[in-house]
Amino acid sequence: MRKKTATVPKAMPVASPDTFRRLALALPGAVESSHMGAADFRINDKIFATLAYAARGLGTLKITPEQQAEFLADAPEHFTPAPGGWGRMGMTLVRLDAPENVLAGGLSTAFHNVLSKQDAKKNPVAKPLTAIRKRSL
């Protein structure tokens, strides 16, 4: 009788800094630049992601604290808050060996956050008048 051997699950494709870079630059209008010696990714000169921790196998995403909480709840094995105050403001580290769809989702979220903030500045909503001055005649 032959011994049964355990089957090895198929390996998931892993991402590298090159994959993170490729996915970031695939977003419309995204460009690569540099901030404090690390590669960063921008839309209209505003950073949405960096490779500041690439040597540690991590990318950085600029997302909101609420989005960060959702990402951490959904995939704690791939995401962690950035250290210190940056993390409390939503900056989030993502493992570069996360599945490509996880990286793409995180990058897209960060990209659209920055883009929508820029759009809001370009097209401000009219503020209602709270008081009207009456002129005396």
Side-chain angles (χ1 to χ4, degrees), residues 10-14 99 101:
K10 290 184 179 179
M12 293 290 292
V14 295
N101 65 328

PDB file of all heavy atoms in Angstrom, residues 10-14 99 101:
ATOM      1  N   LYS A  10      -0.845  25.418  -4.588  1.00  0.00           N
ATOM      2  CA  LYS A  10      -0.180  26.226  -5.601  1.00  0.00           C
ATOM      3  C   LYS A  10       0.209  27.569  -4.995  1.00  0.00           C
ATOM      4  O   LYS A  10      -0.558  28.158  -4.236  1.00  0.00           O
ATOM      5  CB  LYS A  10      -1.090  26.464  -6.808  1.00  0.00           C
ATOM      6  CG  LYS A  10      -1.329  25.221  -7.614  1.00  0.00           C
ATOM      7  CD  LYS A  10      -2.161  25.532  -8.839  1.00  0.00           C
ATOM      8  CE  LYS A  10      -2.377  24.270  -9.648  1.00  0.00           C
ATOM      9  NZ  LYS A  10      -3.183  24.502 -10.821  1.00  0.00           N
ATOM     10  N   ALA A  11       1.392  27.994  -5.323  1.00  0.00           N
ATOM     11  CA  ALA A  11       1.878  29.273  -4.798  1.00  0.00           C
ATOM     12  C   ALA A  11       1.104  30.422  -5.422  1.00  0.00           C
ATOM     13  O   ALA A  11       0.790  30.407  -6.608  1.00  0.00           O
ATOM     14  CB  ALA A  11       3.361  29.420  -5.096  1.00  0.00           C
ATOM     15  N   MET A  12       0.788  31.392  -4.591  1.00  0.00           N
ATOM     16  CA  MET A  12       0.152  32.615  -5.079  1.00  0.00           C
ATOM     17  C   MET A  12       1.248  33.475  -5.691  1.00  0.00           C
ATOM     18  O   MET A  12       2.358  33.497  -5.188  1.00  0.00           O
ATOM     19  CB  MET A  12      -0.486  33.386  -3.925  1.00  0.00           C
ATOM     20  CG  MET A  12      -1.660  32.687  -3.286  1.00  0.00           C
ATOM     21  SD  MET A  12      -3.091  32.634  -4.348  1.00  0.00           S
ATOM     22  CE  MET A  12      -3.527  34.346  -4.398  1.00  0.00           C
ATOM     23  N   PRO A  13       0.952  34.188  -6.768  1.00  0.00           N
ATOM     24  CA  PRO A  13       1.959  35.087  -7.297  1.00  0.00           C
ATOM     25  C   PRO A  13       2.268  36.156  -6.244  1.00  0.00           C
ATOM     26  O   PRO A  13       1.382  36.652  -5.578  1.00  0.00           O
ATOM     27  CB  PRO A  13       1.294  35.729  -8.512  1.00  0.00           C
ATOM     28  CG  PRO A  13      -0.034  35.100  -8.663  1.00  0.00           C
ATOM     29  CD  PRO A  13      -0.282  34.218  -7.487  1.00  0.00           C
ATOM     30  N   VAL A  14       3.545  36.434  -6.067  1.00  0.00           N
ATOM     31  CA  VAL A  14       3.935  37.442  -5.087  1.00  0.00           C
ATOM     32  C   VAL A  14       4.334  38.728  -5.782  1.00  0.00           C
ATOM     33  O   VAL A  14       4.793  38.726  -6.916  1.00  0.00           O
ATOM     34  CB  VAL A  14       5.070  36.949  -4.168  1.00  0.00           C
ATOM     35  CG1 VAL A  14       4.623  35.787  -3.318  1.00  0.00           C
ATOM     36  CG2 VAL A  14       6.298  36.571  -4.968  1.00  0.00           C
ATOM     37  N   PRO A  99      -1.036  39.560  -2.504  1.00  0.00           N
ATOM     38  CA  PRO A  99      -1.525  39.278  -3.859  1.00  0.00           C
ATOM     39  C   PRO A  99      -1.702  40.582  -4.644  1.00  0.00           C
ATOM     40  O   PRO A  99      -2.013  41.635  -4.081  1.00  0.00           O
ATOM     41  CB  PRO A  99      -2.865  38.587  -3.620  1.00  0.00           C
ATOM     42  CG  PRO A  99      -2.759  38.011  -2.248  1.00  0.00           C
ATOM     43  CD  PRO A  99      -1.898  38.974  -1.474  1.00  0.00           C
ATOM     44  N   ASN A 101      -4.003  41.677  -6.530  1.00  0.00           N
ATOM     45  CA  ASN A 101      -5.307  42.350  -6.415  1.00  0.00           C
ATOM     46  C   ASN A 101      -5.415  43.153  -5.116  1.00  0.00           C
ATOM     47  O   ASN A 101      -6.082  44.183  -5.073  1.00  0.00           O
ATOM     48  CB  ASN A 101      -6.466  41.370  -6.564  1.00  0.00           C
ATOM     49  CG  ASN A 101      -6.524  40.353  -5.441  1.00  0.00           C
ATOM     50  OD1 ASN A 101      -5.506  39.942  -4.883  1.00  0.00           O
ATOM     51  ND2 ASN A 101      -7.713  39.916  -5.111  1.00  0.00           N
TER      52      ASN A 101
END
